[in-house]
Structure formats: structure tokens, C-alpha cells
Amino acid sequence: MNSMQIKQLNTRKVGAEKEVLAARYLIALGYRIIEMNFFSRIGEIDIIGIEDEILTFVEVKYRKDFRCGPPSLAVNNKKQYTIMKVARYYLLTHPAFQNMQCRFDVVALTDKEIKLYRNAFM
């Protein structure tokens, strides 16, 4: 295994840890977590949950600090478009949720704080 592969494994491990931390945070706020790491050929949604009868598709972003800007800035237009396409696919494959109101949230984490952006994009 080369150093690039090891770095990718470490990044995935940290990402998975931060997603669990974000899920716990959302549960404490009253979310009901339906699914984590929903994958399709199009992409992935980190967390799918329900808050106040609204189906939420949650992107989790982590950065150690703000040197490269806040983690929420990493959810750019391209990433938003992908998440929306995956959410559309999720609704097609999960008919029980098709009539629910939907929203896109972002949980931004650093080593010092965690912040939720409800309705972060449309």
C-alpha cells in the first residue's frame, strides 16, 4: 500500500467518524435518522433523516480549521447538484417518502465546533 492509499483510508476513517458525530448531533436536535451513506451510481448522501415531518438530505463536511474557509463552503454548486440528483433517485426508489416535504441540510464540523445549516440549498 502506498502513501496515497494510506492517506485515502485515513481520510475515509475520519469522514466516517465525523458523520457519526453529525448523526448524534442531529438526533439530539430531534431528527430521526433513516439512513446513513446512501449510495447510488450518481453519488452519495451522508445522512437521510426526518425532522418535523420533513425528509432531510444532509451533507456532512469537516475541516480541521478555517484555513481553507468554513467547511460549509465545500458544498459548492456541483456538489449540491449531485446531492439533489441522488435525492431524486432516493425518492424514486423509496415510495413511502415520495409525498413528504424535502429539504437539504449541511452539518459543518471543525475540531472546535459543529453547526447545522437547515435548508442550506434548494
Side-chain angles (χ1 to χ4, degrees), residues 60-101:
V60 178
K61 282 297 171 191
Y62 166 75
R63 288 188 176 163
K64 272 187 184 180
D65 52 44
F66 288 96
R67 266 186 279 165
C68 296
S72 57
L73 285 183
V75 187
N76 59 28
N77 289 340
K78 182 180 178 189
K79 183 69 175 171
Q80 291 173 22
Y81 181 71
T82 299
I83 293 168
M84 287 187 281
K85 285 186 353 187
V86 177
R88 212 173 285 127
Y89 177 76
Y90 183 84
L91 291 171
L92 286 171
T93 58
H94 294 77
F97 299 113
Q98 286 179 355
N99 293 321
M100 290 185 77
Q101 183 180 349

Side-chain angles (χ1 to χ4, degrees), residues 20-115:
V20 169
L21 183 63
R24 288 182 183 148
Y25 175 74
L26 293 171
I27 290 167
L29 292 175
Y31 283 64
R32 191 173 86 227
I33 304 302
I34 303 298
E35 195 158 345
M36 291 186 66
N37 303 112
F38 175 76
F39 286 96
S40 76
R41 288 183 308 134
I42 306 162
E44 174 200 4
I45 294 178
D46 295 326
I47 300 172
I48 300 171
I50 296 175
E51 183 193 38
D52 297 329
E53 301 308 311
I54 299 172
L55 186 65
T56 59
F57 298 96
V58 183
E59 177 68 10
V60 178
K61 282 297 171 191
Y62 166 75
R63 288 188 176 163
K64 272 187 184 180
D65 52 44
F66 288 96
R67 266 186 279 165
C68 296
S72 57
L73 285 183
V75 187
N76 59 28
N77 289 340
K78 182 180 178 189
K79 183 69 175 171
Q80 291 173 22
Y81 181 71
T82 299
I83 293 168
M84 287 187 281
K85 285 186 353 187
V86 177
R88 212 173 285 127
Y89 177 76
Y90 183 84
L91 291 171
L92 286 171
T93 58
H94 294 77
F97 299 113
Q98 286 179 355
N99 293 321
M100 290 185 77
Q101 183 180 349
C102 297
R103 170 178 94 208
F104 298 95
D105 295 351
V106 173
V107 174
L109 301 103
T110 66
D111 285 341
K112 295 185 180 188
E113 71 176 0
I114 182 168
K115 187 166 184 179

